[in-house]
Amino acid sequence: MLKELRIQNFAIIQQLDLQLTSGLTTFTGETGAGKSIILDAIEVLVGGKTDVSQIRAGEERALLEATFSLADRDGSSILEVLTREDLLDDPDEITIAREIRREGRSVARINGRSISSNLLREIGGYLVDIHGQSEHLSLLNTRRHLELLDRYAGSEETLIAYQNEYHTLLNQRRELATLRQNERDALQRSDLLHFQIQEIESARLQPDEEEPLRQERDRLANAETLAALAQESLVLLDEGGDDVLALSDGFGQVVEKLTALARIDKTLEPFSNSARDMNEELTDLIRNLRDYVDQIEYNPRRLEQVEDRLDLIQNLKRKYGASIQAVIAFGLEAKKKLELIETAGDRIAELEGLEKVQMQRLAERALALSQCRKAAIQQMQESIEIELNDLSMSGARFQVEVSHEEDETHGLPMPDGKKLKFDENGIDQVQFLIAPNPGEGLKPMVKIASGGETSRLMLALKNVLVKADSVPTLIFDEIDQGISGRVGSMVGEKLWKLGRRHQVFCVTHLPQLAAFGDQHYSVRKEVEEGRTTTRVDILNDDSRKMELAQLLGNTSEAGLTAASEALNRARQRSFEILKS
């Protein structure tokens, strides 16, 4: 529901702020006062085209902003879009803004974030439906006819059951297409996979072998240097020279001296003990170093083997992964792919059999869905024709046309042997046809002239499909074109009834229609300092009587009495409708 509307520098409107309510809101005023401009602003806000001519003369930009309440409506679809686009701040409310700039650029925002005009139109389609002179007529969109028929017929569950089978078929076909493509490339891919598997498996890789190999290579490559350094260390530690005492001998003397000291001065026992420990560690170091020297081997052949192994590992890593573990994983995955290729023929045959079964199941679901739709068409047609008769279109005919298209190659098999084209909504192609006047042939709704006739047709459809239509705000512009006051009262009654389930705005020149408004605005032009601007006032009981009298063309006492009677009749009829 549209709660707040703010318009600045749009056409002849300088500044306008409206607080709007649910139910039926009527706008009245002289021709050219700006009633339709308000509706144009709403249309621009929900994705309509913009033009620099819409900017008020002398201004650089026009600003439009609206706040919509999403509470108490089935807003799941719009919430999905807002969530998808990361625009959802409050699940109960959104704000839409549009700025039109003199240089020709327009900017659209939802909840303060800039969006494209296409996204604005998508979201706007869930919020507002405008009927009249504009082209924003959702019911003239043939793609929506099938959806509305399903909702009127209550066939949503049957449709969901069909769509579940449809998506199962799509999944089977996707797998089939992949397998068939793989089969075409199987020979080449199979040879490659065999080679890759053989190359990896023949290497007999161990996950943790690379680092020990690197260490062994370094020892082998530096064997002479390592042996020389180790031997020199042993000379200093344990052998000494002609003039040099070995470190082990010198430290042994230190231990003896400290032991003798400790016998005399007990406080030196820790030093003596520490020296003995260090001497033992030195002895261990010498022993281990001798073992190391004995193990050092200059082995060119082993070095070559280690380097070859490391080269092999590096080559495999370059081809199949950054680590040995990744190479091993690549080999396992290649084996799975090879297995799929080798068993693809069996799976293709299996899926082809499943596809035939699934096509038959889908055909049964499609027929059940089509029959559910057709069962509701006659009642829907009769209900809409009754509505049209009430709206001074007696003799008008309405028809829901259901057609099918044959597809011998890919179609669903029908009991009569035909194969019919299908999609996610079934086999039916639906469009609404209308013959507004007796003797005229039925024509698609999209070819019917715009204006009051189309608006009345929309009103009839809306009343019949009121439960099926989830768009919360409906706008009717010049719906009273070419109708009398008596019919205007009937139109007002139907708009008021529509307002019990939707928020309805209506621009009208008929007092009989305007009297049904739950909220009534008077729109007028004023000239201030040589500039024309639009003023909008909400009317109370007294000012409303005067407004209706002016619409009747008589502001005398008699005209005010007639206006009061129109209001009373509308209130009485509204009360009777609520009681019924």
Side-chain angles (χ1 to χ4, degrees):
M1 184 188 82
L2 178 57
K3 292 169 55 180
E4 299 175 15
L5 177 64
R6 292 170 288 281
I7 304 173
Q8 181 179 343
N9 297 329
F10 186 78
I12 61 172
I13 298 177
Q14 181 180 18
Q15 184 72 41
L16 180 62
D17 293 278
L18 296 180
Q19 306 295 316
L20 301 160
T21 63
S22 59
L24 171 62
T25 298
T26 54
F27 295 87
T28 57
E30 295 181 1
T31 299
K35 303 182 299 296
S36 294
I37 293 175
I38 298 173
L39 305 189
D40 290 342
I42 298 175
E43 182 174 3
V44 168
L45 272 167
V46 293
K49 293 182 179 179
T50 62
D51 191 278
V52 293
S53 62
Q54 295 168 323
I55 303 174
R56 181 174 169 82
E59 302 294 340
E60 289 302 312
R61 62 180 184 171
L63 297 174
L64 308 172
E65 187 173 282
T67 300
F68 289 88
S69 171
L70 304 179
D72 302 323
R73 299 292 300 181
D74 178 15
S76 57
S77 297
I78 189 172
L79 291 178
E80 287 175 5
V81 177
L82 293 172
T83 302
R84 180 193 75 203
E85 301 295 334
D86 195 23
L87 297 171
L88 185 63
D89 290 339
D90 183 347
D92 294 330
E93 185 176 283
I94 66 168
T95 298
I96 298 179
R98 199 132 191 224
E99 179 181 348
I100 309 169
R101 298 175 181 174
R102 180 65 68 182
E103 70 268 18
R105 193 164 69 93
S106 70
V107 179
R109 295 184 178 87
I110 288 185
N111 292 334
R113 272 96 82 188
S114 295
I115 61 168
S116 68
S117 55
N118 288 336
L119 180 57
L120 178 62
R121 280 191 292 272
E122 180 183 1
I123 293 173
Y126 291 108
L127 297 171
V128 177
D129 211 347
I130 303 177
H131 306 288
Q133 297 176 341
S134 79
E135 296 178 354
H136 187 5
L137 300 171
S138 69
L139 288 177
L140 294 185
N141 183 347
T142 55
R143 290 177 298 178
R144 290 207 63 204
H145 295 179
L146 184 58
E147 174 191 343
L148 291 170
L149 174 59
D150 278 333
R151 295 175 69 177
Y152 179 82
S155 54
E156 290 95 336
E157 290 187 6
T158 308
L159 175 60
I160 290 172
Y162 167 85
Q163 289 176 336
N164 289 336
E165 300 288 355
Y166 176 78
H167 288 120
T168 298
L169 177 65
L170 289 186
N171 291 334
Q172 291 175 348
R173 286 184 167 178
R174 276 193 289 268
E175 185 179 354
L176 260 175
T178 300
L179 288 172
R180 285 169 177 158
Q181 181 63 41
N182 289 346
E183 192 176 42
R184 285 190 289 271
D185 302 335
L187 182 59
Q188 181 179 356
R189 295 184 69 244
S190 178
D191 289 345
L192 175 61
L193 289 170
H194 272 297
F195 172 79
Q196 291 172 334
I197 294 168
Q198 175 63 25
E199 187 176 31
I200 293 171
E201 288 187 344
S202 64
R204 302 181 183 277
L205 295 173
Q206 299 299 319
D208 301 321
E209 68 173 302
E210 189 172 12
E211 185 57 31
L213 283 170
R214 290 182 185 280
Q215 293 175 4
E216 184 179 1
R217 180 194 61 188
D218 292 341
R219 288 196 303 271
L220 290 168
N222 297 279
E224 292 182 0
T225 302
L226 294 173
L229 291 172
Q231 189 60 50
E232 290 173 5
S233 298
L234 281 173
V235 169
L236 293 172
L237 286 170
D238 198 38
E239 297 176 9
D242 294 337
D243 300 323
V244 179
L245 183 66
L247 182 59
S248 58
D249 293 336
F251 201 77
Q253 295 178 14
V254 172
V255 172
E256 291 177 2
K257 302 299 182 185
L258 287 175
T259 301
L261 284 171
R263 291 194 193 101
I264 300 170
D265 185 352
K266 298 297 184 183
T267 61
L268 294 180
E269 282 187 356
F271 295 161
S272 175
N273 293 336
S274 178
R276 280 197 298 272
D277 292 340
M278 292 173 67
N279 193 47
E280 290 177 3
E281 289 181 9
L282 183 59
T283 302
D284 291 340
L285 173 61
I286 293 169
R287 183 174 57 255
N288 291 334
L289 192 55
R290 289 191 184 281
D291 291 341
Y292 176 76
V293 170
D294 292 340
Q295 293 173 7
I296 293 175
E297 178 185 10
Y298 177 66
N299 189 339
R301 184 175 180 183
R302 176 55 184 167
L303 176 60
E304 183 180 357
Q305 291 173 347
V306 171
E307 288 180 336
D308 288 346
R309 181 66 176 176
L310 287 170
D311 287 343
L312 173 62
I313 293 172
Q314 189 61 32
N315 183 49
L316 293 174
K317 285 166 59 178
R318 192 164 46 247
K319 288 183 179 181
Y320 307 121
S323 65
I324 290 179
Q325 289 86 343
V327 174
I328 294 172
F330 186 97
L332 294 174
E333 185 63 26
K335 291 181 73 172
K336 290 180 182 178
K337 290 179 180 179
L338 183 61
E339 183 180 355
L340 286 176
I341 289 175
E342 291 174 343
T343 60
D346 294 339
R347 181 58 178 164
I348 286 173
E350 180 185 1
L351 284 172
E352 286 173 343
L354 290 173
E355 182 184 19
K356 291 180 181 178
V357 173
Q358 190 62 28
M359 287 284 282
Q360 191 60 49
R361 289 168 59 91
L362 193 61
E364 294 171 1
R365 295 286 190 185
L367 281 173
L369 180 59
S370 185
Q371 290 166 2
C372 184
R373 290 164 175 165
K374 290 175 180 177
I377 285 176
Q378 186 62 36
Q379 182 180 353
M380 179 178 176
Q381 291 175 164
E382 292 174 357
S383 298
I384 289 177
E385 288 179 357
I386 291 172
E387 293 285 335
L388 292 174
N389 185 65
D390 291 341
L391 294 170
S392 193
M393 292 180 68
S394 58
R397 294 171 56 217
F398 175 83
Q399 182 175 310
V400 179
E401 180 184 72
V402 179
S403 61
H404 304 110
E405 183 178 340
E406 292 191 32
D407 184 348
E408 287 299 322
T409 305
H410 304 291
L412 284 178
M414 294 292 111
D416 60 2
K418 293 181 179 179
K419 290 186 176 181
L420 300 183
K421 184 178 180 180
F422 66 100
D423 59 19
E424 64 177 351
N425 293 311
I427 56 175
D428 300 321
Q429 299 174 34
V430 172
Q431 71 169 332
F432 296 161
L433 306 178
I434 185 74
N437 302 302
E440 293 184 358
L442 289 160
K443 297 179 182 178
M445 283 177 56
V446 293
K447 296 183 179 179
I448 298 299
S450 62
E453 191 173 65
T454 302
S455 292
R456 278 179 279 166
L457 174 59
M458 293 301 101
L459 178 57
L461 285 164
K462 286 292 182 182
N463 272 291
V464 171
L465 302 174
V466 63
K467 294 182 180 179
D469 195 348
S470 60
V471 179
T473 300
L474 311 177
I475 297 177
F476 294 87
D477 189 11
E478 296 192 13
I479 197 172
D480 53 10
Q481 182 181 8
I483 63 176
S484 64
R486 182 185 65 82
V487 177
S489 181
M490 177 62 72
V491 171
E493 178 181 323
K494 291 186 180 296
L495 286 173
W496 187 87
K497 289 173 66 177
L498 197 58
R500 299 319 95 191
R501 288 183 173 270
H502 298 263
Q503 181 186 42
V504 181
F505 299 145
C506 179
V507 169
T508 180
H509 296 280
L510 286 177
Q512 295 86 351
L513 192 162
F516 276 89
D518 299 293
Q519 200 176 25
H520 188 165
Y521 284 99
S522 172
V523 185
R524 68 184 190 281
K525 286 192 297 188
E526 289 184 355
V527 178
E528 295 180 357
E529 299 179 356
R531 297 292 303 277
T532 301
T533 189
T534 294
R535 300 293 184 194
V536 180
D537 297 312
I538 188 167
L539 303 179
N540 57 29
D541 284 348
D542 291 337
S543 58
R544 193 173 187 188
K545 290 177 184 177
M546 178 59 69
E547 181 76 7
L548 295 180
Q550 289 175 346
L551 292 176
L552 287 166
N554 183 1
T555 56
S556 65
E557 189 64 33
L560 290 171
T561 300
S564 181
E565 290 174 354
L567 282 171
N568 289 334
R569 282 196 299 271
R571 288 168 181 163
Q572 179 61 31
R573 184 61 189 140
S574 301
F575 180 72
E576 292 171 358
I577 293 171
L578 285 177
K579 286 183 64 178
S580 63

